[in-house]
Amino acid sequence: MSRILNFIDGELRPPVDGKYLDNVEPATGKVYSHCPDSSSADVELAVAAAAAAFPSWSTTPRTVRASFLTRIADSIESRLAEFALAESTDQGKPVSLATAVDIPRAVANFRYFAGRLAYDEDKVSRIDGVAWTYTHHQPVGVAGLISPWNLPLYLLTWKIAPAIAYGCTCVCKPSEVTPMTAFLLADVLIKVGLPKGVVNIVFGTGPGAGEPLVLHPNVPLISFTGSTTIGTRISALTSPFPKKLSLELGGKNATIVFADADLPRAAEGAVRAAFANQGEVCLCGSRVLVQSEVYDAFLALFLTHTRALTVGDPRHPSTTTGALVSRAHYDKVVSYLALAVQEGGKVVHGGRYGAEVVKGRPVMVEQREKGERRLEGGFWMEPTVVVGLGEVARCNQEEIFGPVVTILPFRTEEDALRIANGTKYGLSASVWSEDLRRAHRVAEGIRGGYVWVNCWMVRDLNAPFGGTKASGIGREGGAEWSREFYCDTKAICVAY
């Protein structure tokens, strides 16, 4: 059984205390590797390494930094199949999804910031006859980067790439639930010859490794993606200290379908938004709001697309829906099914969970002798559609983060906006309408950080990303916003 190691000062190292956590494959429910259960001692070593590397890395020419980012991208891309299988095994998502989306996006993250460095420039102004003033962007120092379990490599590299592009060094704390591709990334960093200490990766729990990183006096910046509960705790922990924070937190995102929408296209897009990655995406459209006059027609189309989804072995090419990430998360999502019924909701598709969900579903040919037994202990749930719930029902207010979607009608544009904005969250939304004047109005009226019109999850890496309200603070993404976060802007005035 493989053993994952920390990556500190350019070397793979066991945890100082010698403690490890079980790493479970979601599709089988069985332990398949062990992950360091790191402590403050490991964090201390990693921060010291990053701090020691910072003076040299922060003054390394941009062209050299860009070259390292490009080589990292090339190396990950050359091992695409290996990374995709590891991500699927670790997280439960289909290999096909990891191959098409997760790993290519990790590659794109490094390539994007490598390319943008070539166009990085400072602003210059002058006071006639007196002085020239220019801005200088100075890297902050050691960045603490904490990434989640739903898109492990995708979101970890979304933080690492801009941090090191703009001259910071970093200590990363990936989720202990999905550590494998971060471990593979460490191997990539060694092989491309990234200078020691520029990137350090410490595995472990939030209390054991995350909090010491957040509280460390030599870590002036924290980028966190995860739950609103943990983000709120990080905000409280860091309040006595002048740290830069970016918190990308939860969502209860609305998909709004107007009567004039292209219904077949909207239904297909809404199903993808609801159930992609088993619904384990902070941007998933878990509430579908449909204008009353097309509600029945839309629901029929939505159910048709939902029935076409296949729950099964993540390694099988026809699988569209894999296993939920862990037993604890599975239990939480299942509990919301019972709550939906208690609240008066009606399950019109799905609702089954457990081993029976994958009976008769695809398994890999080489595992056919074992039949479904390999998958019996996995954390399975069908894509589930619930109707009949009021807008203030808990299942319409709380983030479920699984393959459960609610569909509810609305009458007017004003109703749609009121319902869409009627939660504590404000991360994203999607609007489906052929009337672009209406689409603009509604998009501007939504309290959220990212709004799609007639599409979902079309990500422009030039655009800023982040949430409002309980969905977080700060913006990352794009050269401009990432540079502002990972650097301090200094004005320098030079007299004639």
Side-chain angles (χ1 to χ4, degrees):
M1 189 171 293
S2 64
R3 177 166 282 187
I4 292 167
L5 299 172
N6 288 329
F7 178 59
I8 299 174
D9 203 22
E11 299 177 355
L12 297 174
R13 303 184 184 184
V16 171
D17 294 342
K19 296 179 180 178
Y20 287 84
L21 302 164
D22 289 342
N23 187 27
V24 174
E25 180 182 3
T28 65
K30 295 179 180 178
V31 176
Y32 84 103
S33 65
H34 293 102
C35 167
D37 186 8
S38 299
S39 66
S40 59
D42 301 282
V43 172
E44 192 65 46
L45 291 173
V47 172
F54 177 71
S56 174
W57 182 252
S58 62
T59 56
T60 296
R62 288 180 300 179
T63 53
V64 176
R65 297 201 303 264
S67 175
F68 274 112
L69 266 66
T70 299
R71 286 151 62 188
I72 293 167
D74 290 345
S75 182
I76 295 172
E77 189 170 53
S78 72
R79 298 166 62 174
L80 173 62
E82 177 189 5
F83 270 91
L85 179 59
E87 198 77 298
S88 171
T89 304
D90 220 23
Q91 201 274 336
K93 69 182 68 200
V95 171
S96 59
L97 180 64
T99 302
V101 176
D102 293 66
I103 310 308
R105 173 56 191 274
V107 171
N109 288 338
F110 285 108
R111 288 222 173 108
Y112 171 80
F113 285 102
R116 291 299 301 186
L117 277 181
Y119 301 98
D120 193 28
E121 60 182 19
D122 293 328
K123 293 181 179 179
V124 180
S125 62
R126 69 174 180 169
I127 305 171
D128 288 342
V130 178
W132 289 91
T133 302
Y134 64 94
T135 57
H136 173 61
H137 292 88
Q138 196 163 27
V140 170
V142 178
L145 310 179
I146 304 175
S147 56
W149 49 255
N150 60 324
L151 305 169
L153 190 68
Y154 179 139
L155 290 177
L156 178 62
T157 57
W158 177 236
K159 299 176 186 298
I160 292 175
I164 65 174
Y166 292 113
C168 290
T169 55
C170 58
V171 177
C172 308
K173 209 296 284 183
S175 171
E176 72 278 13
V177 178
T178 52
M180 190 57 75
T181 47
F183 183 47
L184 294 181
L185 177 63
D187 182 62
V188 166
L189 301 179
I190 291 170
K191 288 179 177 175
V192 303
L194 188 72
K196 292 182 177 182
V198 173
V199 175
N200 304 271
I201 304 174
V202 177
F203 299 96
T205 65
E211 288 198 13
L213 178 60
V214 165
L215 290 170
H216 201 288
N218 294 332
V219 179
L221 177 150
I222 298 293
S223 173
F224 170 81
T225 301
S227 73
T228 296
T229 299
I230 301 302
T232 301
R233 176 162 177 76
I234 289 173
S235 182
L237 287 171
T238 57
S239 61
F241 311 104
K243 292 179 184 276
K244 296 183 81 170
L245 286 184
S246 176
L247 305 175
E248 195 267 285
L249 309 178
K252 193 65 179 175
N253 313 301
T255 298
I256 304 173
V257 181
F258 285 97
D260 62 2
D262 180 337
L263 289 188
R265 184 180 170 202
E268 184 178 7
V271 167
R272 179 170 168 258
F275 300 123
N277 202 54
Q278 301 77 244
E280 296 170 328
V281 180
C282 59
L283 298 167
C284 271
S286 56
R287 294 180 298 151
V288 182
L289 318 182
V290 186
Q291 202 155 25
S292 300
E293 51 263 50
V294 295
Y295 179 87
D296 290 339
F298 176 86
L299 179 59
L301 289 167
F302 189 94
L303 291 175
T304 296
H305 285 292
T306 302
R307 293 186 188 106
L309 299 175
T310 300
V311 183
D313 190 335
R315 299 181 186 182
H316 198 284
S318 69
T319 294
T320 57
T321 306
L324 296 183
V325 72
S326 68
R327 170 64 65 180
H329 186 62
Y330 167 86
D331 290 341
K332 173 201 164 185
V333 177
V334 167
S335 73
Y336 273 98
L337 293 183
L339 178 61
V341 174
Q342 291 171 14
E343 292 185 313
K346 179 182 179 182
V347 176
V348 294
H349 182 271
R352 294 193 309 158
Y353 53 89
E356 75 271 13
V357 172
V358 291
K359 287 181 178 177
R361 297 299 177 91
V363 292
M364 294 302 290
V365 172
E366 62 267 25
Q367 293 153 355
R368 189 148 295 169
E369 291 181 3
K370 298 180 181 178
E372 301 298 336
R373 291 183 182 178
R374 173 180 173 271
L375 308 177
E376 282 180 356
F379 313 131
W380 306 104
M381 176 175 288
E382 285 184 308
T384 298
V385 182
V386 180
V387 301
L389 288 175
E391 61 189 79
V392 297
R394 285 180 58 192
C395 288
N396 275 325
Q397 293 290 317
E398 300 174 13
E399 186 178 42
I400 300 174
F401 215 66
V404 180
V405 67
T406 61
I407 303 182
L408 57 163
F410 68 88
R411 292 185 301 107
T412 66
E413 184 178 311
E414 292 72 24
D415 288 337
L417 276 172
R418 175 179 51 76
I419 297 169
N421 290 331
T423 76
K424 69 178 182 178
Y425 297 104
L427 186 57
S428 71
S430 56
V431 179
W432 296 84
S433 173
E434 294 297 288
D435 182 345
L436 288 183
R437 289 177 297 180
R438 167 186 277 164
H440 280 294
R441 284 196 309 270
V442 174
E444 291 178 5
I446 289 170
R447 291 289 310 280
Y450 212 113
V451 180
W452 287 279
V453 175
N454 294 329
C455 60
W456 177 75
M457 206 54 155
V458 178
R459 289 286 285 115
D460 181 354
L461 295 185
N462 290 295
F465 184 78
T468 63
K469 302 192 290 183
S471 292
I473 58 172
R475 293 291 182 272
E476 294 182 58
E480 178 182 350
W481 291 273
S482 291
R483 184 177 67 172
E484 290 304 312
F485 179 58
Y486 289 103
C487 294
D488 291 324
T489 304
K490 178 190 297 182
I492 300 175
C493 183
V494 182
Y496 281 4

